[in-house]
Amino acid sequence: MDVQTIPIEVNGDGVHSIAVPDRITVEGSFEMAIDNQGQAAHVHLNVDDDLGRIASLGETNHYLEADARRVVHVDVTPNRPAETVRGKLKAVVGHGSGTSYITVIVEPAPDPASESVTVDESLADPPERDPEPTPAERFVAALDAVFGDGLGPAIVVAAIAVALALAVGTALNTPIVFLAAGIVVAAVVVALALALR
């Protein structure tokens, strides 16, 4: 959540003048940006008892050089009551020469139960994994990666056809079978050449 910044202007309307918003509403810790529009000044900040129950300032006295800016953090405890808290923040400049009050309204702390996350029991089960590819599937995938998608199976079939034609030609050892095997090999080579274009 972003921290709200409350503007305070010192010496803007003359020496020891101070301008603050009348009222602010915050949901947690906030900051005050003190802008000095004139000569060097001392600014004193304080919270009343109601606001002091849940909010605290690290430092209360702040010295600002001429035309300087200082950001003061106001810590609001997260384990505050579950109800709206109202209080006053007092800003004094020039050792009491200028005084202003800001009404601070602090919204209730969010209920931790409403921010809890419900975990689905199905998350406890390990995710289903695809089965490991077989060596033949890995081989076809490798061919696809080299020659392009979809050609892997065609190349495997062509290689089997060529091997089978050569095996039959060698086993029968006749010129007609060798001629047929050569035609099969030539057809496969031409088909692959056309597919790879």
Side-chain angles (χ1 to χ4, degrees):
M1 178 172 57
D2 291 335
V3 176
Q4 289 176 261
T5 302
I6 312 307
I8 296 178
E9 185 183 275
V10 174
N11 294 327
D13 293 327
V15 177
H16 298 150
S17 67
I18 185 164
V20 299
D22 291 335
R23 168 190 310 255
I24 61 168
T25 302
V26 296
E27 297 177 358
S29 298
F30 61 97
E31 294 176 340
M32 290 175 294
I34 307 170
D35 283 308
N36 186 4
Q37 303 292 320
Q39 66 186 24
H42 285 275
V43 178
H44 179 79
L45 302 171
N46 201 357
V47 293
D48 69 5
D49 290 342
D50 290 333
L51 188 56
R53 288 185 296 124
I54 62 164
S56 61
L57 290 155
E59 290 181 52
T60 55
N61 290 308
H62 304 277
Y63 176 74
L64 280 84
E65 296 283 348
D67 301 314
R69 170 181 258 220
R70 175 168 290 191
V71 176
V72 178
H73 187 75
V74 180
D75 236 355
V76 175
T77 180
N79 55 351
R80 60 189 180 271
E83 59 196 30
T84 300
V85 175
R86 288 175 182 265
K88 297 271 188 188
L89 190 145
K90 181 180 180 182
V92 178
V93 67
H95 304 288
S97 298
T99 303
S100 286
Y101 293 91
I102 307 170
T103 299
V104 180
I105 302 164
V106 182
E107 294 293 343
D111 181 10
S114 68
E115 294 185 353
S116 65
V117 177
T118 304
V119 178
D120 190 344
E121 290 180 13
S122 66
L123 294 177
D125 297 332
E128 291 183 14
R129 292 199 167 98
D130 292 334
E132 288 290 319
T134 64
E137 289 171 334
R138 282 198 294 266
F139 179 70
V140 169
L143 289 176
D144 275 346
V146 172
F147 296 107
D149 286 343
L151 287 180
I155 292 171
V156 170
V157 169
I160 291 171
V162 168
L164 195 60
L166 290 175
V168 169
T170 304
L172 296 177
N173 200 14
T174 62
I176 293 176
V177 173
F178 268 119
L179 181 63
I183 292 172
V184 169
V185 170
V188 168
V189 169
V190 169
L192 284 177
L194 290 173
L196 292 174
R197 291 175 91 183

